[in-house]
Amino acid sequence: MDAFPVRMELTGHDGVALRRLEEDDWRVELTLARVADIPPWTMYPADLDEHGARLRAERNVRAAEAAHGIRYVIDEAGDALGTVGFGRSADGFEVFYALRPEARGRGLVTSAVAALSAWLGAQGERIVWLSTLDGNAPSEAVAVRCGFTRFRSGTHVDGRPLTVWSRRLGS
């Protein structure tokens, strides 16, 4: 597998790019954790403070360096709109994302998930995963638009029910 890309232009969204999250991007981690509907639907902790945001950003940089996964900032002219990325598991790679409310409805997450899935497919991956907490209709819609299908039901680490989605890549 090639090294994870540091930057990817987001096709169809002029001026929007995915750039590798760096330690200095801790503020976007803090911002997303403070959006009321993000912690309930993601792995962002609701009680994240500056110290925790700095540690979270640092941890993500180390994971990218070790090729365990990568988190990107969805960047529009220097404005961090959210994050998207993927992490390695025993079953392959799983994509994840979070977006500020004012950036939603533009197809940014759909385009970003499609771009990351295409890159993984070009690296020889045959399947990519996505998990949505049950009831998160916007995330379920992203999964469907990106060609994922329901694979199985599961349980989040905190006990909440979720759906695991899969998408076959390549031929």
Side-chain angles (χ1 to χ4, degrees):
M1 174 175 280
D2 293 340
F4 299 145
V6 173
R7 182 180 179 88
M8 301 170 77
E9 298 303 316
L10 203 53
T11 304
H13 300 278
D14 290 340
V16 180
L18 306 181
R19 62 171 178 76
R20 182 178 120 153
L21 183 135
E22 300 293 345
E23 289 183 29
D24 288 346
D25 290 312
W26 64 268
R27 285 174 191 84
V28 70
E29 297 285 71
L30 186 61
T31 297
L32 291 170
R34 291 184 174 169
V35 173
D37 67 348
I38 289 180
W41 296 120
T42 69
M43 295 296 288
Y44 276 92
D47 60 350
L48 193 68
D49 60 10
E50 180 179 332
H51 176 72
R54 287 178 182 275
L55 289 174
R56 187 176 167 91
E58 180 182 322
R59 186 179 71 236
N60 280 289
V61 169
R62 300 300 161 257
E65 291 169 348
H68 294 282
I70 189 165
R71 182 173 300 229
Y72 293 94
V73 173
I74 302 171
D75 185 289
E76 183 173 43
D79 188 14
L81 304 177
T83 62
V84 63
F86 53 79
R88 186 186 306 264
S89 73
D91 297 322
F93 287 94
E94 182 174 359
V95 296
F96 47 81
Y97 43 84
L99 196 62
R100 292 182 1 221
E102 61 271 21
R104 297 175 188 167
R106 296 172 49 192
L108 296 170
V109 168
T110 298
S111 294
V113 168
L116 295 181
S117 297
W119 185 84
L120 288 166
Q123 301 307 304
E125 293 295 321
R126 293 290 155 234
I127 194 161
V128 65
W129 305 94
L130 188 154
S131 296
T132 59
L133 288 164
D134 289 1
N136 189 345
S139 270
E140 292 172 356
V142 167
V144 170
R145 284 192 303 269
C146 290
F148 286 80
T149 57
R150 292 177 192 270
F151 180 71
R152 66 174 172 83
S153 295
T155 306
H156 189 271
V157 295
D158 66 8
R160 293 179 291 166
L162 58 76
T163 298
V164 178
W165 303 73
S166 65
R167 177 178 172 204
R168 297 234 173 255
L169 303 174
S171 54

